[in-house]
Amino acid sequence: MPTETTAAATRTTRHRTTRPAKVRKGVIRPAFVPPAPPLRGIDELAGWLREDGTRAVTVVADPAVAEQSVTRGVLAQVESAGITPALVVLDGPTGLDAVAGLAARLAPDELVIGVGGGTTLDFAKLAALSARHPDFPRYLTAPQRSGFLVLPAALGTRARVLAVPTTLGTGSELGTVACFERDGGKLLATGPCLRPTAALWAPEATETLPGELIADGVLEALFRTVSPYVGDPTELPEQDAEVESLATRLVVAGYEVAALRAEQRAVPAELRLRIAESSGESQIGRINIGRSPYAVKCWAMANELSTTLDLAKMRTVSALWPVLWRHTLAGDTRLGSPARIHRLWTHLRTAAPWLPDDPAAGLLRLMRDWRVDREVRADAGRIDRATTRIMRGWGAGLPILDELSAADVRALLTEATEPASGASSPAARGPKTRTDTAR
């Protein structure tokens, strides 16, 4: 359970009866409200708090950074604004019971400052919304099989959260999504209410982040940027140009990180900030106005595979992504647009002309160059379990994978993984560049 070092106020309000929203097919609505520009540096926090006028603050920190300078700096800034902060360290489960436990100790308008990676920031969003809207947990617990939950506009356009990310790539500090655990799996909730009130980028927050996690973060931002673009064949000239530009900048940043790692040099604050900016840009939604929200097939499969195998999500994304591109390029348009993959790849090769012409082979080469660990091992039983989870949460009539059968999904997973023991599976695996590391 979370460890609370200072008690926060508790408020209760009467429940209202609201029917959970249903997921409907369609496109991302053109109405776009950009997030507030992130604060740049911890020393801006006290002034922001005074302008905000909040009188109650709870700081939710990942245990990995609870004793580091970023958290100490945040707490000091809160105190200098004349507020005594509560500190909650997430040193236990972060499921819905933990969310409810923290929400019960928050005032409805209390500001939650999340200091940590995507899991911590998502937890902070869900707890803050649960405190502000007592009905909110009903949306998270309503019986459904879909892994994708669309939240209603009635919940507002912001969560009372100031997000301080200590990892790169998730973009959760600017995004309108949150992952949460339920019934042994991970679901994805989306809605304007999940966007934090504010975000803060600080060099101290990522100064101890290992180089391999920085590389994974760049790849995650690249994956999130290009996946809707290649998954939806709709021509959107303005948005397409922004995707192509952002993806190219991310490839440049990824190779800068790779060069520094090869020389065993630290990634400087300027580059980390640039990656954070690009990652945030990939999350805020502008580049996807008009695209189908169901265009990203790989994420849905990788999410369930990572849960089944207890692996980091980017490991399974990295294993599956080139496989899906190869099948798309071979003509399986259920997975995306071959023409758009080729067009995107032409732009990316302007930043890295040494990459192969073939996009799937080039993606494998890029991951090798960035030393991304994409080895995933699974026996037939676990592949079957992952397939069942994928079809239940995302397929069999649900819009993201509604055209794929269980046999299709099982074949893709088998191709993207290696046997639990013995010889390697097909060439989709690509070269191995480093050993498995615990995340």
Side-chain angles (χ1 to χ4, degrees):
M1 294 297 291
T3 301
E4 185 176 354
T5 59
T6 307
T10 302
R11 298 285 188 274
T12 59
T13 59
R14 186 171 57 191
H15 285 254
R16 298 186 301 276
T17 301
T18 306
R19 180 172 296 177
K22 294 181 179 179
V23 175
R24 294 179 174 87
K25 291 186 178 182
V27 298
I28 296 174
R29 295 184 177 182
F32 173 70
V33 180
L39 306 177
R40 303 298 183 100
I42 292 176
D43 57 357
E44 293 190 13
L45 179 55
W48 185 92
L49 290 169
R50 294 187 189 100
E51 291 182 6
D52 180 74
T54 185
R55 301 311 305 164
V57 173
T58 290
V59 177
V60 177
D62 186 299
V65 299
E67 301 296 328
Q68 291 186 4
S69 61
V70 58
T71 305
R72 294 196 304 269
V74 166
L75 292 170
Q77 284 284 303
V78 176
E79 291 172 353
S80 70
I83 305 168
T84 301
L87 174 63
V88 174
V89 179
L90 293 183
D91 57 357
T94 58
L96 293 181
D97 287 344
V99 168
L102 176 58
R105 298 194 291 271
L106 298 174
D109 291 325
E110 185 161 351
L111 181 71
V112 180
I113 301 180
V115 184
T119 298
T120 299
L121 301 187
D122 289 352
F123 179 91
K125 295 180 189 183
L126 297 175
L129 280 167
S130 297
R132 192 175 183 88
H133 300 281
D135 294 343
F136 177 67
R138 296 183 62 241
Y139 295 97
L140 306 182
T141 59
Q144 65 169 43
R145 71 179 180 91
S146 175
F148 188 45
L149 176 64
V150 178
L151 299 172
L155 292 172
T157 59
R158 292 288 188 273
R160 281 290 291 164
V161 171
L162 189 148
V164 185
T166 60
T167 60
L168 296 169
T170 70
S172 181
E173 69 275 14
L174 297 178
T176 59
V177 297
C179 288
F180 63 98
E181 297 180 3
R182 194 184 83 177
D183 303 329
K186 293 180 181 178
L187 281 73
L188 178 69
T190 182
C193 59
L194 288 168
R195 176 166 284 154
T197 297
L200 187 155
W201 291 331
E204 302 95 321
T206 55
E207 64 185 355
T208 62
L209 196 62
E212 62 266 24
L213 295 187
I214 296 176
D216 282 357
V218 182
L219 189 69
E220 181 173 2
L222 179 63
F223 171 74
R224 184 170 54 250
T225 297
V226 306
S227 293
Y229 172 105
V230 303
D232 185 341
T234 306
E235 294 292 323
L236 301 167
E238 182 178 346
Q239 293 91 321
D240 289 350
E242 291 195 30
V243 168
E244 291 154 6
S245 174
L246 176 57
T248 301
R249 297 198 305 272
L250 283 164
V251 168
V252 170
Y255 272 102
E256 289 181 46
V257 171
L260 290 165
R261 292 180 66 199
E263 298 172 0
Q264 297 185 329
R265 295 167 56 196
V267 178
E270 178 276 330
L271 179 51
R272 299 198 310 272
L273 177 59
R274 185 155 32 103
I275 294 168
E277 291 172 338
S278 296
S279 176
E281 188 176 344
S282 72
Q283 266 284 22
I284 61 177
R286 179 179 57 246
I287 62 175
N288 290 321
I289 294 172
R291 300 193 199 283
S292 169
Y294 310 117
V296 184
K297 315 301 183 187
C298 185
W299 187 93
M301 288 185 268
N303 177 64
E304 301 300 342
L305 184 61
S306 72
T307 300
T308 302
L309 301 179
D310 194 24
L311 289 174
K313 194 176 300 175
M314 278 312 296
R315 178 78 67 82
T316 53
V317 166
S318 301
L320 278 162
W321 185 6
V323 173
L324 267 64
W325 268 24
R326 186 166 63 248
H327 282 267
T328 303
L329 293 166
D332 191 345
T333 56
R334 298 174 302 172
L335 301 173
S337 166
R340 291 175 69 80
I341 291 178
H342 279 296
R343 189 170 78 193
L344 172 73
W345 197 249
T346 298
H347 286 277
L348 298 189
R349 290 189 72 244
T350 63
W354 52 85
L355 293 174
D357 290 339
D358 176 75
L363 185 58
L364 285 170
R365 168 69 185 274
L366 180 145
M367 292 181 185
R368 186 194 72 190
D369 291 348
W370 292 7
R371 291 193 285 167
V372 169
D373 191 340
R374 50 186 308 277
E375 179 180 294
V376 176
R377 292 186 176 274
D379 57 28
R382 289 193 173 187
I383 288 177
D384 284 343
R385 287 196 292 275
T387 300
T388 299
R389 295 177 66 98
I390 290 166
M391 296 306 294
R392 182 181 188 278
W394 307 94
L398 293 175
I400 289 186
L401 301 178
D402 62 349
E403 295 184 272
L404 297 180
S405 69
D408 293 329
V409 170
R410 185 180 296 106
L412 291 168
L413 297 185
T414 300
E415 187 174 342
T417 59
E418 294 183 359
S421 61
S424 295
S425 61
R429 298 304 312 126
K432 312 304 180 303
T433 57
R434 60 185 172 90
T435 58
D436 188 9
T437 56
R439 298 280 208 267

